[in-house]
Amino acid sequence: MTGKTHASCGLLVGALTTEYYHTDLFTSITIITLAIISSLLPDICHTQSKIGRRFKLLSLIIRLMFGHRTFTHSILFISIITGILYFIQTPSHYLIAIVCGLCSHVILDMLTPRGVKLFYPVPISVKFPIVFKTGGMIDLSLASALSIGAFYLFFKSFVDDLIMKLL
């Protein structure tokens, strides 16, 4: 999937988290930002990704050590990040946003023909039975649908009031 699709899913994860926790404006912005960044983070292993271009040296080192869609796209990586966040006593709403953002990235990449090394260091690629080409029309449609879902959650009360007035 493209960075736009991952970011759109991160936006939706952030929106769902703020909706669930009923957070104030500052906390909501922080949650959404963390969810979007974490939804892009697994691609730090790809030097041409949105996050890889911003952290070129780190991206290159991780790419050389592990390769693309291996360690940073695995249950091991997500578990390590979760453990660190739990150890430093990250508030639950931030922890959930970050972990769900990471998971969303891995799940979306499992929708591609290449899949991911979910059980790294076991060298088995995991993908869904139905896959889509990265950057294709379905990828773009998915990014749009995820963004629309997020914006609906942000403006849910306004949209619901408008619908009720129209009925």
Side-chain angles (χ1 to χ4, degrees), residues 48-85:
Q48 296 304 309
S49 68
K50 287 192 180 293
I51 199 159
R53 288 191 305 259
R54 284 166 180 69
F55 300 96
K56 290 182 188 228
L57 183 60
L58 179 60
S59 179
L60 182 62
I61 291 168
I62 292 171
R63 174 80 180 224
L64 291 172
M65 287 176 63
F66 302 107
H68 183 49
R69 290 190 181 180
T70 58
F71 173 65
T72 61
H73 287 68
S74 70
I75 293 172
L76 177 61
F77 179 73
I78 295 169
S79 298
I80 290 169
I81 298 294
T82 303
I84 291 168
L85 292 172

Side-chain angles (χ1 to χ4, degrees), residues 130-147:
I130 298 172
V131 295
F132 308 104
K133 179 182 158 205
T134 298
M137 194 56 133
I138 294 177
D139 189 355
L140 178 62
S141 300
L142 185 56
S144 299
L146 292 167
S147 295

Side-chain angles (χ1 to χ4, degrees), residues 69 73 106 109-110 114-118 124-127:
R69 290 190 181 180
H73 287 68
V106 173
D109 278 355
M110 288 169 57
R114 188 168 173 204
V116 299
K117 304 285 191 255
L118 187 62
I124 298 170
S125 286
V126 178
K127 59 185 174 184

Side-chain angles (χ1 to χ4, degrees), residues 32-53:
I32 292 163
T33 302
L34 289 171
I36 292 171
I37 291 169
S38 65
S39 72
L40 296 171
L41 183 62
D43 273 346
I44 191 72
C45 62
H46 182 38
T47 55
Q48 296 304 309
S49 68
K50 287 192 180 293
I51 199 159
R53 288 191 305 259

